[in-house]
């Protein structure tokens, strides 16, 4: 696209009551200070955007004379198609026109926007505009016309291991997502390693507390089975005599009980035997008659007979049981019981050995799994570190290659696109313009003009848009390469009125 200014007409714009400027390929504006040189160029940006040449709001109101209204008319061509754009302030209200047709503000802005991007146009028009932008905007504008290096170009510059690892994973994820995935995984694995190392140490400590026995588990199990069979044999022998011993003990207990009853019965006999026959009633103390005395004697006799029968019965039962007991022999099994205890003690010891061996084997197995998990975690962590390092190397190399591509666009300027963090060494987006090793901020006026011209020409070539260029304070530079497109210069000439010269006119 080629943009050309044909003319601009000013009415009551700042110091200009009525002025018409016709532009050629080269337009020179000269005069002393405060003669309205910069106002002419500002009228162009005000017509298009209502701003000055740096994109800031500006007040076009005249200060040294009375006026009724303010207006500007810019006739320009875009790819040889002429367009007349007008802006005016009438009774404090903005009026906008396209080819003399009134337009709403939104319609006017949309038309201008469709012709060319505001930031790009002002950059091409005013060499001081681009450096006034935020560095992120500067960087974005420059890089949108520079093709970033291809993955294969960057991989070719990386170590084979890193290139192979990244090329595989970039098939599934973006570089940004890969970094998030592996940074998150590394953080998780760092924590997991601490926990797994702690578990391994705990298990190893437990292992030290378990005795290491040199036993053959299978042989020990055979021995336990042998002891079990021995115990069963002895228990069977004890069981075979248990009925006899139980009967013996039962008879012995019954005899003992009867003996105690006989002894108690014998202790009652003397008092019954020596009981006197009373001739008085034990209750009312009256003398008993002969019949009553006889009844008392009969009662005692009956009680004596009953005692003798009961005592005799107890003795008879005891004797019978003693006869039965005499026919039995108590079989002592205490040795067999003690033998069982000894066998069970041996068996318990062997079982404890097997349990200890099992515990040791379980701990060894757990340690093996813990160490294996630790190795896997280490591998996962190392994998993420490898990818993160590869990403860092990729970004550094991509930054380097992109910087080379961008730098090739310039002849005298250096442009920094990235800066490296001191802490982690990562490359972060940045933008810095330098000339002869000096930052743009430290350049002289003439150097800033030259730097701005080179920057705007690079953007003109890269974007394919040729637009007029306005060089203010042109007296500050004696030599410079003529920029692409129409050139408008403004120079201060002491004690001179405003003069506009158009090449060829």
């Amino acid at each position: 696209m080629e943009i050309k200014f044909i003319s601009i007409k000013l009415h009551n714009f700042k110091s200009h009551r009525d002025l018409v400027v016709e532009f050629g390929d080269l337009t020179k504006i000269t005069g002393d200070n405060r003669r309205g040189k910069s106002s002419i160029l500002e009228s162009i940006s005000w017509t298009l955007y209502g701003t000055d040449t740096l994109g800031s709001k500006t007040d076009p109101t005249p200060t040294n004379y009375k006026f009724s209204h303010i207006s500007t008319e810019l006739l320009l061509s875009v790819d040889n198609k002429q367009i007349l754009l007008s802006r005016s302030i009438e009774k404090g209200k903005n009026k906008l026109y396209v080819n003399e047709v009134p337009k709403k503000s939104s319609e006017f802005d949309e038309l201008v926007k469709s012709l060319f991007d505001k930031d790009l146009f002002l950059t091409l028009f005013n060499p001081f505009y681009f450096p006034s932008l935020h560095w992120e905007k500067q960087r974005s504008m420059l890089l949108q016309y520079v093709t970033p290096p291809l993955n294969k170009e960057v991989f070719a510059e990386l170590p084979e291991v890193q290139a192979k690892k990244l090329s595989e994973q970039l098939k599934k994820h973006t570089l940004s997502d890969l970094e998030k995935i592996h940074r998150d995984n590394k953080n998780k694995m760092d924590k997991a390693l601490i926990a797994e190392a702690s578990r391994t140490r705990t298990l190893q400590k437990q292992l030290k507390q378990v005795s290491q026995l040199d036993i053959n588990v299978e042989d020990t199990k055979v021995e336990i089975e042998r002891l079990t069979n021995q115990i069963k044999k002895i228990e069977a022998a004890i069981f075979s005599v248990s009925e006899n011993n139980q009967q013996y003990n039962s008879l012995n207990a019954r005899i003992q009980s009867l003996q105690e009853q006989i002894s108690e019965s014998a202790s009652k006999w003397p008092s019954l035997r020596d009981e006197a026959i009373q001739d008085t009633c034990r209750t009312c103390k009256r003398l008993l008659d002969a019949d009553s005395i006889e009844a008392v004697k009969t009662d005692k006799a009956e009680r004596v007979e009953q005692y003798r029968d009961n005592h005799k019965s107890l003795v008879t039962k005891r004797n019978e049981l003693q006869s039965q007991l005499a026919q039995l022999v108590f079989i002592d099994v205490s040795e067999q019981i003690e033998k069982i205890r000894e066998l069970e003690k041996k068996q318990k010891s062997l079982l404890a050995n097997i349990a200890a061996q099992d515990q040791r084997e379980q701990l060894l197995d757990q340690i093996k799994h813990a160490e294996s998990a630790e190795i896997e975690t280490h591998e996962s962590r190392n994998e993420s570190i490898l990818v993160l390092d590869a990403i860092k190397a990729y970004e550094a190399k991509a930054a380097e290659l992109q910087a080379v591509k961008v730098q090739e666009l310039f002849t005298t300027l250096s442009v920094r696109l990235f800066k490296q963090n001191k802490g982690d060494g990562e490359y972060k987006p940045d933008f810095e313009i330098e000339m002869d090793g000096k930052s743009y901020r430290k350049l002289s006026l003439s150097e800033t003009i030259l730097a701005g011209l080179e920057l705007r020409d690079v953007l003109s070539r890269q974007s394919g848009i040729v637009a007029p260029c306005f060089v203010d304070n042109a007296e500050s530079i004696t030599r410079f390469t003529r920029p692409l497109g129409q050139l408008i210069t403004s120079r201060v000439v002491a004690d001179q009125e405003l003069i506009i010269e158009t090449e060829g006119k």
Side-chain angles (χ1 to χ4, degrees), residues 143 164 235 377 387 391 427:
L143 291 184
K164 184 178 180 181
E235 285 176 342
T377 302
V387 173
I391 290 172
Y427 282 81

Side-chain angles (χ1 to χ4, degrees), residues 247-263 314-328:
Q247 187 177 0
Y248 184 91
N249 289 333
S250 176
L251 286 172
N252 210 12
R254 289 168 65 191
I255 290 169
Q256 184 65 32
S257 175
L258 287 170
Q259 187 60 49
E260 290 175 357
Q261 293 178 51
I262 291 169
S263 297
L314 290 171
V315 172
T316 300
K317 287 181 180 178
R318 181 199 65 188
N319 293 339
E320 288 175 355
L321 292 176
Q322 284 178 335
S323 297
Q324 292 178 24
L325 185 63
Q327 296 175 7
L328 296 175

